[in-house]
Amino acid sequence: MRAMVLEAPGRKLAATDRPIPVPGRGEVLIQVAACGVCRTDLHVVDGELKDPTLPIVPGHEIVGRVAGLGQGVERFPLGERVGVPWLGWSCGECRFCRAGRENLCPKARFTGYQIDGGYQEYAVADARFCFPIAGEAGDAEAAPLLCAGLIGYRSLVMAGDARNLGIYGFGAAAHIVAQVARHQGRRVFAFTRAGDDAAQAFARDLGAVWAGASEESPPETLDAAIIFAPVGALVPLALKAVEKGGTVVCGGIHMSDIPSFPYELLWGERRICSVANLTRRDGEEFLALAPKIPVQTEIETFPLAQANEALARLREGRLRGAAVLVP
Ligand SMILES: [Zn+2]
Ligand SMILES: [Zn+2]
């Protein structure tokens, strides 16, 4: 089978022929139907995340069908459509895991980072961390729900009951969160790079009441803001736009340094927090909610062999919605 492999950070992925992996105890073999391309994959490929297992097959927005069962797996029948997210394994024993905060497990292992991911024709995953993917959505359309959707959802929950919600960086996660936020009766204010008319138009198409440049002041104060762009300089800008008592949620796994800013911007019980990974409960909640809205993902598909091209397009911001690899 064909796999796209990262041999060292900073290098392009290499197309490699490998034997189909064999699922171990508790694992399922999945024939990959689609795998979304996430900004985190870029951080792995570019060496911005420490200690990836190398070589590694990236990709943690996998949708596929169960093609083999390891010992002891009864959760899924052969042929069932399942999804594999970023959190691939956690210890189940530490204080975080026991408190339902497995996203913070110090021993957690992540798909496409420490466990081979979905940029290949077959992948193996721990059955306990897979989700059934029901509903009408196509495989490629469902793929971005597994991270952009899930992490976006967790970020939205962290934003509390904000009515006026700012979203900084209008890519794959934002285009899903905007639909959920609107469904919940919130008003979305979208911030993009200055001059990115296409992203601003995209945000308005998805129901944003206002779209403009990140440096602009929105026409109304925000109750909370979520930052998806990996740009630390957005934190003081978002604090400035947020009302007293409001939260600025940093939704990405990596961000450039946050510049210093006057305490006045934080004063008034404003808060800054980050979102780390996901829990299985987030997945169950969000994947049940998405078909009810229904969330419609906007995707651009690429053949597996064009993974490097898809990553380059994401890096340059030349995508509307999400890139998805289809083996
Ligand atoms: Zn743990
Ligand atoms: Zn991701």
Side-chain angles (χ1 to χ4, degrees):
M1 65 144 191
R2 182 56 60 97
M4 298 300 289
V5 179
L6 178 71
E7 282 154 0
R11 283 218 228 137
K12 287 203 162 171
L13 305 182
T16 310
D17 275 316
R18 289 181 163 186
I20 293 175
V22 177
R25 187 171 180 83
E27 294 178 334
V28 283
L29 175 70
I30 296 163
Q31 183 173 17
V32 179
C35 184
V37 176
C38 173
R39 182 166 293 281
T40 299
D41 303 342
L42 265 188
H43 296 315
V44 172
V45 168
D46 292 347
E48 286 161 335
L49 296 187
K50 281 180 202 151
D51 304 324
T53 299
L54 292 170
I56 188 81
V57 177
H60 56 269
E61 296 180 317
I62 304 173
V63 174
R65 283 175 184 70
V66 175
L69 298 170
Q71 250 193 331
V73 178
E74 287 170 8
R75 190 173 169 209
F76 300 112
L78 284 173
E80 171 120 341
R81 182 162 81 152
V82 294
V84 185
W86 171 242
L87 181 65
W89 186 88
S90 68
C91 80
E93 291 166 359
C94 72
R95 67 193 184 105
F96 294 111
C97 283
R98 278 183 290 139
R101 304 174 82 194
E102 58 198 10
N103 60 313
L104 303 179
C105 174
K107 292 184 183 162
R109 288 155 51 81
F110 299 102
T111 313
Y113 182 38
Q114 285 119 2
I115 302 167
D116 279 336
Y119 289 20
Q120 54 184 345
E121 290 173 294
Y122 287 87
V124 157
D126 187 319
R128 295 170 304 164
F129 290 85
C130 299
F131 300 110
I133 305 286
E136 304 284 297
D139 298 331
E141 285 76 12
L145 301 179
L146 269 304
C147 183
L150 254 164
I151 302 278
Y153 175 73
R154 189 172 175 85
S155 304
L156 186 60
V157 171
M158 293 267 203
D161 59 2
R163 177 168 154 79
N164 280 2
L165 177 74
I167 300 182
Y168 287 77
F170 211 87
H175 98 286
I176 295 172
V177 171
Q179 296 175 54
V180 181
R182 238 190 111 193
H183 175 78
Q184 295 172 334
R186 305 175 195 247
R187 301 168 75 239
V188 172
F189 296 74
F191 297 82
T192 73
R193 286 184 246 213
D196 193 345
D197 298 336
Q200 290 170 17
F202 184 33
R204 282 188 211 100
D205 286 351
L206 288 170
V209 296
W210 177 88
S214 299
E215 297 75 21
E216 282 180 60
S217 295
E220 298 170 36
T221 51
L222 307 175
D223 301 309
I226 304 173
I227 302 177
F228 289 120
V231 181
L234 292 172
V235 172
L237 288 173
L239 279 173
K240 205 179 285 183
V242 161
E243 181 58 277
K244 280 187 282 192
T247 303
V248 172
V249 182
C250 302
I253 192 169
H254 171 83
M255 207 180 226
S256 54
D257 286 353
I258 301 171
S260 74
F261 55 85
Y263 179 57
E264 190 191 338
L265 292 185
L266 187 63
W267 174 248
E269 299 191 348
R270 292 177 182 84
R271 272 176 297 214
I272 307 171
C273 68
S274 66
V275 162
N277 316 315
L278 68 131
T279 65
R280 282 172 282 181
R281 190 170 157 198
D282 296 326
E284 281 149 19
E285 282 178 17
F286 174 68
L287 292 170
L289 174 65
K292 288 185 192 146
I293 295 177
V295 170
Q296 300 206 320
T297 54
E298 182 133 342
I299 57 164
E300 194 167 334
T301 58
F302 297 77
L304 181 60
Q306 283 179 23
N308 289 303
E309 162 75 5
L311 288 165
R313 291 271 300 279
L314 176 59
R315 187 182 286 111
E316 292 154 18
R318 287 192 296 123
L319 283 169
R320 182 180 157 106
V324 178
L325 300 178
V326 179

